[in-house]
Amino acid sequence: MTAELVRGQNHPLSEVRLEIRISAGCPVVAAATLSDDSGRARGAEWVVHPGAPVLPGLEVSRQAAADHRLAVDLGAMPEAVHRVDVLLALPAAGGGPTRFGAVAAPFVAVTGPDGTELASYTITGLDAESAVIAMELYRRQDAWKVRAVGQGYAGGLTELLSDLGLTQAAELATATEEAVAEGLARSVAAPPPRTTDEARSPQASAPPRPNPAASVSSHEGSSHEGQVSGTAGPSAPQPAGPGGSGGGTPAAGPTTSVPAGGTIDYRHPRRQPAPPPAQPAPPSGQPAPPPRQPSALSGQPAAPPAAPAASPGHDGQPARPVAGDATGWSMEERLYNQVWGMFEDLARTTAAYRSAVDFAESRMEKELDQVLSDPRSRIGGQGDAAREAARAKHARLVDQARASLDRDLAQLTDESEVVEPALPAAYARWDNPVWHGYRVPMEIPMAVRLGDLHLPEDPSLRIPMLIRLPLERGLWIDSGRWASPDESFADAGERRLLAMETAVAHAARLIAVYPAGEFGVHVIDPAGSGAQALAPLVRTGVLAGPPAAGAAGVADVLSRLTQRVDLVQMAVRGGAPDALPPGFDAAEQLLIVNDFPHGFDDRAVTQLRYLADEGPAVGVHLMMVADREDAAAYGPLLDPLWRSLMRLTSVPDDHLADPWVGHAWTYEPPVVPPGSQVLQLVLTEVAAARRDGNR
């Protein structure tokens, strides 16, 4: 799995032979320095640059280019080397950009010898800097790690190399520029601009992101509880030139230059289309071949010759999205990857829009402060004109950012309309027709849908919230007071009923996506308050037993499940997982607990915490339906329990925080359509399959 780093974050390296891939929106110079254990470069012989491109274990390009591949062999490095800094700089010759703030953010990826991406970093937040330390590879206790640095220098290579302790910084910078000037004619041009309406390459989709390493956290106030999915870091705003767009930076992958009036592609790096291959120059005396047209069989659009525009499809209309347009061995895996690619695309483009708005506001405030700081311009026509100009510039930047956001939202909406009907039952909403033809599966799916996610910029665009199976943490269906403008659920009894109905919908889906007999469900309902909501599970007979009531029932169920966890753990730790007792039920188990802490004594609470912590690793999962305020008497004793569970709500609520890009995602629970019998039909089919399997 690729680690998408943010500034200052590190990641261990599992390989010593590496390739560092660099993509930028214009030709850049790539270099590197070696440092000892004190962090100092010992001299010019420890600097590799276009004028001296090879050192033991390290080689860089001999010219400026929009894309670089640096070969690194950490095992061949001298023993004295403890750190390798990867440097990028804008060439002084050639008339190109002179600051990184005027181009798309550079992207750096560390890959293994087979091309597997280990870590990546999009360098955002640069402005007047013309040189930057992108990454550093460093040795720590005989193991190598990579850290995202992103330290820029407005003084260029000279200032950067001086900061690394090199006394010959000016001479090295001059030698680098001279070598670049000699090879500038051979520099690789930036790929042509692409628009979000162009067809995506089948190799350009996002890989699965396991939920344990994800970064969307459930929070209440300032506390973070739980994780759901992952996104990339936020995009920093870029100042807009005349007619340019004030927006964020693109994500990883092949980036594009941003001409005046152009756009930046905010899609997930692996969902961006690859640049077209360069055509060889014709022999002398022969005319150049005409531009290549899109093939009627491949459906690949031709690169736009001028400003970005919608690429034509087969019928001359903009190319339409395709369900399953992602990598994977099966359609299920391709759809899973495509859904999470959509999630990250929405996170990135929204982060870029919000960053652009923040930049426009800070710029307007700065210009207004400058006007107010001069007593001569505070009053009168000159001051009013300056204020009006600042506000007009702010409105123009915000409008440009919103136009880019609306374009991306329209593309994602089109894709969602194509993908949603194609989803399998495990990924589909309850109103999807796929449930009417439901048959019990023969194997466990990759993931299950636990609801939808959306952002306030477009509440109608909902991304399926897919969680990998088997579940790696329990679920908490919050029946307490939620931060919702809908006051119709203020009554405690209605809140608990709605929370229990939501839990039953989740449990029914988990039962339905597992093969017959491979998922058992137990229920603890001490006071019997959940009988109405539990009726579909009880009537169809899919429960492992009747709902446990009273203190005795609570103790019995918890004792059996804790003994099960102990038994499996002992077998696994003893290296004999096949030595379980004859007749042992190896199916996954789910415990639904309603009305906690009613009917629970101290021993039962301890057992519940034990199941929440140790159960998922051995196939015992917990689903709590509770109001945290009801358990306030336990104080901080239960804080680890709540933190170990993924908090979900029974009404839409923006409690899922994404620390990577700072979004608060609104979660919407899965709702069975009113009057629909789909739940009953599905559970009846499961019960029949179980009976047939027991014959």
Side-chain angles (χ1 to χ4, degrees):
M1 184 191 71
T2 303
E4 297 184 9
L5 306 180
V6 296
R7 181 173 296 176
Q9 186 178 5
N10 61 47
H11 185 73
L13 293 173
S14 57
E15 308 280 351
V16 293
R17 297 186 63 186
L18 306 167
E19 185 176 73
I20 299 177
R21 302 183 179 182
I22 300 167
S23 297
C26 66
V28 297
V29 179
T33 60
L34 309 181
S35 303
D36 55 21
D37 54 357
S38 64
R40 311 291 288 183
R42 295 186 175 180
E45 66 276 7
W46 275 26
V47 181
V48 56
H49 57 86
V54 180
L55 284 178
L58 184 60
E59 182 176 0
V60 302
S61 174
R62 301 173 185 268
Q63 62 184 20
D67 297 280
H68 290 271
R69 293 193 176 191
L70 280 60
V72 180
D73 187 353
L74 298 174
M77 295 281 179
E79 285 296 325
V81 174
H82 284 255
R83 193 178 80 192
V84 180
D85 291 297
V86 179
L87 318 178
L88 301 180
L90 294 171
T98 59
R99 61 188 186 90
F100 278 109
V103 299
F107 171 76
V108 185
V110 180
T111 68
D114 59 352
T116 302
E117 194 170 293
L118 306 176
S120 64
Y121 174 41
T122 302
I123 310 173
T124 60
L126 299 177
D127 187 9
E129 297 87 346
S130 59
V132 61
I133 301 177
M135 279 182 169
E136 65 178 17
L137 312 178
Y138 63 99
R139 195 200 311 255
R140 182 66 54 83
Q141 297 178 350
D142 296 329
W144 286 89
K145 295 184 178 183
V146 57
R147 177 184 287 118
V149 180
Q151 176 62 53
Y153 295 84
L157 269 178
T158 302
E159 182 182 356
L160 187 156
L161 295 173
S162 297
D163 195 43
L164 293 176
L166 289 163
T167 56
Q168 316 96 312
E171 293 81 356
L172 284 169
T174 301
T176 301
E177 291 295 346
E178 290 175 352
V180 169
E182 293 177 2
L184 193 59
R186 304 190 306 274
S187 64
V188 180
R194 306 296 294 259
T195 69
T196 55
D197 292 331
E198 294 193 46
R200 296 187 177 114
S201 168
Q203 290 80 22
S205 59
R209 299 176 61 89
N211 292 291
S215 63
V216 176
S217 304
S218 172
H219 71 82
E220 291 183 278
S222 60
S223 64
H224 295 273
E225 302 174 357
Q227 298 176 340
V228 181
S229 68
T231 63
S235 300
Q238 299 294 337
S245 63
T249 59
T255 57
T256 63
S257 60
V258 187
T263 58
I264 298 178
D265 191 346
Y266 295 107
R267 284 174 292 175
H268 187 274
R270 292 182 184 81
R271 288 160 57 84
Q272 295 177 11
Q279 296 185 0
S284 59
Q286 295 186 11
R292 185 168 179 241
Q293 299 298 320
S295 168
L297 295 177
S298 67
Q300 294 295 328
S311 300
H314 301 304
D315 54 359
Q317 300 298 321
R320 295 282 297 171
V322 178
D325 186 16
T327 56
W329 293 101
S330 64
M331 177 58 76
E332 177 194 7
E333 185 178 358
R334 291 198 295 269
L335 287 169
Y336 174 89
N337 293 341
Q338 187 172 14
V339 166
W340 280 111
M342 293 165 58
F343 172 86
E344 297 195 356
D345 286 350
L346 180 56
R348 288 173 184 271
T349 191
T350 305
Y353 167 72
R354 294 180 181 179
S355 296
V357 171
D358 291 343
F359 169 74
E361 291 177 352
S362 63
R363 179 172 176 172
M364 181 180 67
E365 291 175 359
K366 181 179 179 180
E367 292 176 353
L368 292 177
D369 289 343
Q370 290 176 348
V371 173
L372 295 175
S373 64
D374 188 351
R376 296 171 296 179
S377 60
R378 290 180 185 175
I379 57 175
Q382 182 180 358
D384 294 340
R387 294 185 189 93
E388 189 63 30
R391 295 189 181 99
K393 189 179 299 181
H394 169 269
R396 184 171 65 256
L397 292 175
V398 172
D399 290 344
Q400 290 172 347
R402 184 69 207 195
S404 296
L405 175 68
D406 290 342
R407 182 198 64 240
D408 294 341
L409 292 178
Q411 172 69 14
L412 286 171
T413 300
D414 289 343
E415 185 171 13
S416 177
E417 291 173 352
V418 172
V419 170
E420 191 69 48
L423 295 176
Y427 301 173
R429 291 196 299 252
W430 285 115
D431 59 357
N432 192 308
V434 71
W435 287 108
H436 295 286
Y438 168 78
R439 292 294 181 269
V440 178
M442 300 299 293
E443 57 185 30
I444 302 173
M446 287 184 58
V448 66
R449 184 173 187 162
L450 294 185
D452 293 336
L453 300 171
H454 65 81
L455 292 171
E457 280 74 11
D458 188 357
S460 64
L461 178 56
R462 289 173 167 80
I463 306 297
M465 178 178 163
L466 303 182
I467 302 298
R468 292 297 295 265
L469 291 178
L471 296 174
E472 298 191 2
R473 52 192 311 209
L475 305 176
W476 166 28
I477 314 301
D478 192 354
S479 62
R481 296 183 180 274
W482 41 71
S484 171
D486 189 349
E487 297 295 335
S488 60
F489 302 107
D491 179 75
E494 293 185 12
R495 293 200 309 268
R496 290 170 181 166
L497 175 61
L498 188 58
M500 196 61 192
E501 290 176 345
T502 303
V504 169
H506 286 309
R509 182 179 290 265
L510 288 168
I511 293 171
V513 302
Y514 272 80
E518 294 193 18
F519 195 83
V521 178
H522 309 260
V523 175
I524 290 178
D525 188 17
S529 60
Q532 178 182 343
L534 290 168
L537 301 178
V538 175
R539 283 198 304 264
T540 54
V542 296
L543 295 179
V554 171
D556 177 63
V557 173
L558 291 177
S559 296
R560 285 190 284 112
L561 290 178
T562 52
Q563 289 173 5
R564 176 190 178 89
V565 172
D566 290 339
L567 186 62
V568 176
Q569 282 186 337
M570 286 189 294
V572 172
R573 291 169 182 169
D578 298 330
L580 293 169
F584 181 84
D585 184 7
E588 302 270 323
Q589 304 293 320
L590 174 68
L591 174 60
I592 302 176
V593 178
N594 183 38
D595 208 12
F596 177 81
H598 182 78
F600 282 74
D601 55 19
D602 291 345
R603 184 171 183 271
V605 170
T606 302
Q607 290 175 320
L608 197 66
R609 288 186 53 186
Y610 177 72
L611 290 178
D613 293 337
E614 305 294 335
V618 293
V620 177
H621 311 285
L622 182 62
M623 183 185 293
M624 295 273 292
V625 183
D627 179 359
R628 189 168 182 173
E629 294 297 326
D630 293 342
Y634 287 93
L637 177 66
L638 290 182
D639 286 350
L641 173 64
W642 304 120
R643 285 196 297 267
S644 69
L645 303 174
M646 181 191 302
R647 177 176 175 254
L648 304 176
T649 56
S650 54
V651 295
D653 188 52
D654 60 347
H655 68 280
L656 293 176
D658 188 343
W660 289 95
V661 287
H663 299 334
W665 291 85
T666 297
Y667 166 78
E668 290 209 8
V671 177
V672 179
S676 174
Q677 297 297 315
V678 63
L679 210 62
Q680 186 74 22
L681 293 173
V682 169
L683 294 177
T684 300
E685 185 72 22
V686 171
R690 290 182 178 181
R691 288 193 298 269
D692 294 341
N694 293 331
R695 291 176 182 174

